Amino acid sequence: MSRVRGGHNYYQVRISDRKVTASREKVDVLVALDLESIERHRASLGEKGLVLYDSESLKKSFEGPEFLDVPLTKIALESGKQRVMTNSVALGAVHGVLGVEPDTLGEILKEAFAKKGEGIIEKNLACVRAGYDYVREHCKRCEAFELSVPGEKGFMLINGLQAIGLGALLSGCKFYSAYPMTPSTGIMNFLASKAEQYGIIVEQAEDELAAINMALGASFAGVRAMTGTSGGGFALMNEGLSLAAMTETPLVLAEVQRPGPATGLPTRTEQADLLFVLHAGHGEFPRVIYAPGTPKQAFYLTNKAFELAEKYQVPVFILADQYLGDTQWTYGGFDPEKLIYNDYRLRDKDLEGVLEYKRHTFTGSGISPLAVPGECGRHLVVTDSDEHDEEGHIIEDAETRVLMMQKRLLKKLPLLRREMEGPLYYGIRCSENPGGSELPEILLAGFGSTYGVMKEVVDMLSKDRKIAMLHFSEIYPLPEPEGFDFLAILKNAGLAICVENNATGQFAKLLRAETGFEFTCQINRYDGRPFTAEKLVEEIHALL
Amino acid sequence: MPSFEIYEGQEPAWCPGCGNFQILSSLKKALVELEIEPWEVLLASGIGQSSKLPHYMKGHTFNGLHGRALPVATAAKLANHKLHVIVIAGDGDCYGEGGNHLIHTIRRNPNITLLVHNNQIYGLTKGQASPTSAQGTHSKVQPFGNLSEPLNPLALAISLNCGFVARGFSGDPEFLKELMKAAITHKGFSLLDILQPCVTFNKVNTFGWYRDRVYRLEEEYNLNDRVKAFARTLEWGEKIPNGIFFKNRRKTLEELIPIIQEKPLVRQEFSINKVKPELKVFY
């Protein structure tokens, strides 16, 4: 919601003793703090579902076995003396429903309210306990929801935007400039919160034109730089993207999609900027697009984005969306040993003994030496948005133009393609040998944030169907099918379905343009909401 | 001390008689006299005849997009504040296409110098009105004459409390050089608007037109009186004052960022071991 206070807001949490990766349509426990929550979400209640509410503060009673009336506000006033602590009572009550001792919750509240002092902490803890006790005493049927306490503890909890920010931080990002835009702002918030501790400059630009040009200025001056925005802001960044390409200035750009056109649905989700990002910027130049499916992928791919941006001096995108950005996942952990860090910039004594440095030298790989201005003795670093010669000065002649296009674009493209990893295969037959004789009868394909829902649907349907999925997170340049022949799997599957959170099947178009493969079936959702497991299953069944 | 020759660049592709030649020469002399070496200078420019200037001298160069030199320069300065950062722009470039960046760069106050070649006309695109063209200026695309009020860059800058606001004239290169030296040595953002004839497209504001009007601000002029300075910037027509209109030492953007007080950002080495503990925050 773009309403900052008031209005209807909700959050869905899934708890399971096995790994879950998607949102569900059905709700087991609905905690309704206002009347609207009941009206809107009552229909999503599962068969044995429960609505936890407070008839006194909602001024309405509901009949029926699914309703559990808990005097949340009354308890808050009794135990905490403040109405605002109703939230804490509700949290305690949920723990009561689930039969989980609220000790971890207590720890979290102590942390959250540390600055507010002991008194506030004590009152909140009392509210939690009172809410918990009330439900334990009054709700016999709640036994049905009881969870076994997990043996394993200490998971990490992280959302997609934090994962991108964390990935940037651990990749040596030193400069981030952006103009606030939902749903991308979380990256800026994260990096700004680490700025002082780790020496990062985060600059809020006056507009997205400035944001991308600042990132380029910082990168040109020798530090790893990044910018982030959503579709509308990225529209403004197009000329800057083209500039990054022409000047061969390394740039990492996060495009966190929301539904368009124009302002669209600012706080909702969509995957409709794929072809925009693919074709953005005037002229022809190489680019890399990553579309992580989970916070974990977002973390590692952000790292890879910094590596490739600097190694090849090209713009690299992290194409995310609101759903991936704002959804929190639990993990055992991320492994910092898997991160890559190579400083490809020339500085200090790197150019010692070199007589003549030219920023855009022609080389076999197309990659020219990237010196840091002012940090390499007397060598000068010159670049230009006009077509230029090896030194970086304006030219007009056809011969140099052709050589530069070959250097900047044609030589780098195949090298970039080789850096890309194939899609992730999951489902029937083991992933090590996906091209085996037994091929899926149903094959789901997609990119970015549909990873979780496709995976869960594969699990749900695999009892009765030979089903699998191909998830693409390194989507441009599309990897060679040499190592892993995903094209053969697509061609030989009984029914290959492309699942996308957009109206026109943009990834299917990309795949057809790059490989000639055409999906016969597509499932598209473009109401601004993410796919849920049940809805996707329904749509698959409709195609069978 | 660096020599004038060390600043020799490519051969300019400007019209013969263009005011840009004096501006180029004054800038080279100013840098030589300030004993700044080419490798200590970053020249950032946009697009326009003015923005080709970096190619015609020596220095690190980022010749970027139309109107966008200021954000590039600001960030480069933040990344390495040891560099002298000089932005070369034109009236269309900086007061039109990049107007928003000018406003916000003045607010930020990075220690960079902005030289605006102001010829009150578009040269590169061949003769359209610019943001500083007089009302009524006729061109191929202004058949009823330029309908807009001209922008007053100096008044705008003073209204934003810009720390260094000055005007020079390409036809007075010695004084222009001194103004450039003052702008470069000023701590904070400095705007030097440079009047310059366009010999090809501007038949009104010619060299003679400027020469007859331009005069230097009197020696007893008070540099620190913002309101009076604003009033002086409104003086335009029969007489056009040149010189430093306003000075104000505000803290620079770089001075306000604690993490770069000891070392420029570019010299701060990255160590993954230092940031690794951040992973624990999410548990």
Side-chain angles (χ1 to χ4, degrees):
Chain A
M1 287 281 291
S2 51
R3 271 180 80 159
V4 174
R5 304 186 101 176
H8 180 69
N9 279 297
Y10 69 96
Y11 208 91
Q12 193 189 67
V13 180
R14 273 190 80 192
I15 305 167
S16 173
D17 53 7
R18 59 180 183 84
K19 283 185 183 171
V20 291
T21 56
S23 299
R24 285 277 192 155
E25 206 69 35
K26 289 290 172 201
V27 174
D28 295 313
V29 181
L30 172 64
V31 183
L33 298 177
D34 65 6
L35 217 48
E36 195 179 350
S37 302
I38 299 181
E39 287 156 4
R40 280 197 189 221
H41 300 286
R42 205 173 160 177
S44 356
L45 210 60
E47 248 175 73
K48 292 174 189 162
L50 187 80
V51 182
L52 195 159
Y53 81 117
D54 176 3
S55 65
E56 210 177 302
S57 67
L58 268 53
K59 298 189 179 64
K60 190 168 178 180
S61 279
F62 291 88
E63 295 302 321
E66 71 268 38
F67 287 95
L68 174 63
D69 188 1
V70 181
L72 301 171
T73 304
K74 196 175 153 205
I75 296 174
L77 290 170
E78 278 168 16
S79 303
K81 311 283 180 257
Q82 286 181 48
R83 182 175 291 270
V84 72
M85 293 182 189
T86 303
N87 285 330
S88 297
V89 181
L91 283 170
V94 171
H95 279 71
V97 173
L98 301 175
V100 175
E101 275 288 332
D103 44 353
T104 305
L105 174 61
E107 295 305 313
I108 293 168
L109 288 176
K110 278 180 200 162
E111 234 173 79
F113 294 127
K115 281 188 187 154
K116 301 213 168 189
E118 278 301 312
I120 295 289
I121 292 173
E122 285 310 317
K123 283 178 183 169
N124 276 287
L125 291 179
C127 284
V128 165
R129 175 51 63 182
Y132 175 83
D133 289 344
Y134 185 92
V135 171
R136 295 309 292 165
E137 195 180 323
H138 293 88
C139 182
K140 291 293 163 241
R141 61 167 296 223
C142 285
E143 283 172 13
F145 295 102
E146 268 183 35
L147 292 177
S148 54
V149 179
E152 247 182 294
K153 272 198 173 182
F155 288 99
M156 72 188 287
L157 180 69
I158 190 166
N159 72 28
L161 297 179
Q162 291 167 329
I164 292 170
L166 189 64
L169 179 66
L170 270 74
S171 303
C173 177
K174 288 263 164 209
F175 188 93
Y176 187 89
S177 47
Y179 186 86
M181 184 168 187
T182 305
S184 66
T185 315
I187 304 169
M188 179 157 59
N189 292 344
F190 176 82
L191 287 170
S193 74
K194 308 295 170 196
E196 189 160 13
Q197 197 177 352
Y198 298 113
I200 302 168
I201 291 183
V202 176
E203 184 65 22
Q204 182 183 326
E206 57 270 27
D207 52 35
E208 287 84 353
L209 305 162
I212 190 167
N213 277 280
M214 282 181 176
L216 292 176
S219 182
F220 175 77
V223 301
R224 288 195 163 183
M226 176 174 177
T227 183
T229 184
S230 188
F234 180 60
L236 291 185
M237 290 188 180
N238 273 227
E239 58 160 16
L241 173 70
S242 195
L243 176 66
M246 187 50 136
T247 57
E248 299 182 273
T249 307
L251 176 71
V252 175
L253 200 159
E255 214 268 49
V256 188
Q257 302 163 97
R258 69 192 214 189
T263 310
L265 295 167
T267 60
R268 303 294 180 179
T269 199
E270 201 161 81
Q271 294 182 299
D273 292 347
L274 168 60
L275 293 182
F276 178 37
V277 164
L278 178 67
H279 297 295
H282 49 297
E284 295 172 298
F285 56 87
R287 77 193 75 201
V288 173
I289 306 171
Y290 292 133
T294 63
K296 193 172 188 170
Q297 288 181 2
F299 173 73
Y300 291 115
L301 286 176
T302 302
N303 175 249
K304 207 172 164 186
F306 276 97
E307 164 73 11
L308 289 203
E310 197 169 296
K311 184 174 178 185
Y312 294 97
Q313 303 167 25
V314 295
V316 181
F317 289 91
I318 299 146
L319 184 64
D321 57 37
Q322 184 270 333
Y323 181 58
L324 171 68
D326 289 340
T327 308
Q328 291 180 294
W329 293 51
T330 51
Y331 290 106
F334 295 165
D335 183 3
E337 303 307 318
K338 283 190 189 161
L339 299 176
I340 322 159
Y341 182 80
N342 295 302
D343 182 9
Y344 293 99
R345 288 180 162 89
L346 305 176
R347 49 182 105 227
D348 301 327
K349 300 203 164 117
D350 289 342
L351 286 180
E352 224 175 41
V354 174
L355 287 179
E356 198 183 16
Y357 169 76
K358 293 175 182 171
R359 170 64 191 94
H360 297 285
T361 311
F362 296 128
T363 61
S365 63
I367 303 164
S368 310
L370 179 64
V372 175
E375 300 293 299
C376 286
R378 298 179 168 205
H379 293 292
L380 296 180
V381 186
V382 177
T383 194
D384 194 344
S385 68
D386 293 90
E387 187 59 275
H388 40 256
D389 59 17
E390 288 179 280
E391 273 181 66
H393 292 299
I394 308 180
I395 59 99
E396 291 267 345
D397 71 279
E399 194 187 337
T400 310
R401 162 70 177 178
V402 169
L403 288 171
M404 273 298 160
M405 285 296 280
Q406 286 168 346
K407 175 195 122 53
R408 209 166 40 225
L409 170 64
L410 301 176
K411 286 185 176 178
K412 286 185 192 174
L413 259 182
L415 300 177
L416 285 170
R417 192 181 295 279
R418 252 177 262 155
E419 298 273 1
M420 305 300 277
E421 293 241 3
L424 186 142
Y425 179 91
Y426 177 78
I428 181 171
R429 309 281 303 169
C430 61
S431 55
E432 282 79 19
N433 184 21
S437 57
E438 202 173 19
L439 283 156
E441 166 197 349
I442 304 167
L443 180 70
L444 305 178
F447 75 104
S449 69
T450 52
Y451 167 88
V453 74
M454 291 198 300
K455 184 163 185 275
E456 188 136 333
V457 165
V458 167
D459 287 339
M460 285 163 76
L461 298 182
S462 59
K463 283 181 222 92
D464 311 313
R465 300 274 183 183
K466 291 178 182 172
I467 185 167
M469 73 171 213
L470 269 180
H471 179 264
F472 292 77
S473 59
E474 309 201 6
I475 56 178
Y476 193 84
L478 210 59
E480 304 271 6
E482 277 167 15
F484 165 33
D485 196 353
F486 59 87
L487 212 53
I489 296 176
L490 282 165
K491 283 179 186 159
N492 296 321
L495 182 68
I497 307 169
C498 198
V499 179
E500 298 185 54
N501 237 170
N502 58 44
T504 55
Q506 299 192 9
F507 183 69
K509 280 183 187 150
L510 168 64
L511 212 63
R512 188 175 70 181
E514 293 288 310
T515 67
F517 176 78
E518 196 159 354
F519 284 96
T520 45
C521 285
Q522 293 187 32
I523 296 177
N524 299 85
R525 181 165 190 172
Y526 47 91
D527 60 355
R529 273 69 178 167
F531 282 102
T532 57
E534 300 97 316
K535 288 270 181 200
L536 186 54
V537 167
E538 257 176 51
E539 298 220 31
I540 293 167
H541 278 142
L543 291 173
L544 297 177
Chain B
M1 184 163 153
S3 64
F4 186 77
E5 288 67 38
I6 202 174
Y7 274 103
E8 197 63 36
Q10 309 225 316
E11 197 189 327
W14 290 319
C15 305
C18 178
N20 282 337
F21 288 97
Q22 282 89 17
I23 300 175
L24 173 63
S25 165
S26 298
L27 179 58
K28 290 199 275 193
K29 282 182 190 153
L31 290 167
V32 168
E33 288 179 21
L34 290 172
E35 301 191 13
I36 296 171
E37 303 281 0
W39 49 90
E40 297 168 333
V41 182
L42 168 60
L43 302 161
S45 66
I47 297 299
Q49 293 296 353
S50 59
S51 289
K52 297 178 188 170
L53 181 142
H55 298 283
Y56 307 148
M57 56 180 285
K58 283 273 162 51
H60 303 293
T61 299
F62 193 102
N63 179 4
L65 296 171
H66 193 43
R68 315 280 170 240
L70 284 173
V72 170
T74 301
K77 184 75 183 180
L78 287 178
N80 187 358
H81 60 262
K82 296 287 178 202
L83 289 171
H84 293 277
V85 179
I86 301 171
V87 176
I88 322 286
D91 41 336
D93 191 33
C94 188
Y95 302 147
E97 187 86 29
N100 198 27
H101 307 312
L102 174 64
I103 291 172
H104 296 282
T105 309
I106 294 174
R107 289 182 51 231
R108 283 188 188 96
N109 199 34
N111 184 14
I112 65 182
T113 306
L114 169 63
L115 309 178
V116 185
H117 301 211
N118 182 358
N119 56 12
Q120 303 184 68
I121 203 82
Y122 278 68
L124 195 74
T125 54
K126 303 186 171 53
Q128 300 82 6
S130 95
T132 52
S133 294
Q135 213 163 14
T137 302
H138 279 267
S139 86
K140 277 186 235 169
V141 296
Q142 274 88 21
F144 311 117
N146 173 30
L147 305 177
S148 303
E149 177 83 10
L151 181 117
N152 183 333
L154 306 188
L156 173 71
I158 290 170
S159 79
L160 291 162
N161 204 17
C162 179
F164 183 103
V165 182
R167 180 193 285 136
F169 170 42
S170 65
D172 187 355
E174 191 56 31
F175 187 49
L176 180 61
K177 180 196 76 188
E178 292 306 319
L179 291 173
M180 286 174 169
K181 283 164 67 178
I184 293 166
T185 46
H186 170 73
K187 284 254 185 306
F189 183 77
S190 47
L191 167 64
L192 174 56
D193 183 72
I194 306 168
L195 301 174
Q196 164 215 12
C198 172
V199 293
T200 306
F201 296 110
N202 195 332
K203 303 298 183 199
V204 177
N205 310 110
T206 58
F207 177 78
W209 189 93
Y210 286 118
R211 187 198 51 211
D212 295 345
R213 288 166 172 76
V214 161
Y215 74 97
R216 294 184 193 178
L217 284 168
E218 53 278 13
E219 283 194 3
E220 59 278 15
Y221 177 84
N222 180 0
L223 289 173
N224 308 111
D225 188 329
R226 194 170 161 202
V227 174
K228 282 198 180 136
F230 188 89
R232 289 304 289 268
T233 65
L234 302 182
E235 213 180 302
W236 181 273
E238 288 310 303
K239 288 286 170 201
I240 302 174
N242 266 15
I244 303 171
F245 284 72
F246 183 59
K247 269 187 91 165
N248 178 18
R249 172 74 167 94
R250 285 159 57 198
K251 280 217 164 183
T252 67
L253 181 63
E254 308 88 86
E255 284 169 335
L256 290 170
I257 299 177
I259 58 161
I260 52 172
Q261 296 315 304
E262 274 182 34
K263 245 191 208 179
L265 197 64
V266 73
R267 293 191 194 154
Q268 297 180 16
E269 271 177 40
F270 171 68
S271 143
I272 189 146
N273 287 326
K274 216 179 109 194
V275 286
K276 249 190 232 171
E278 269 312 305
L279 283 166
K280 296 203 180 92
V281 176
F282 289 93
Y283 284 86

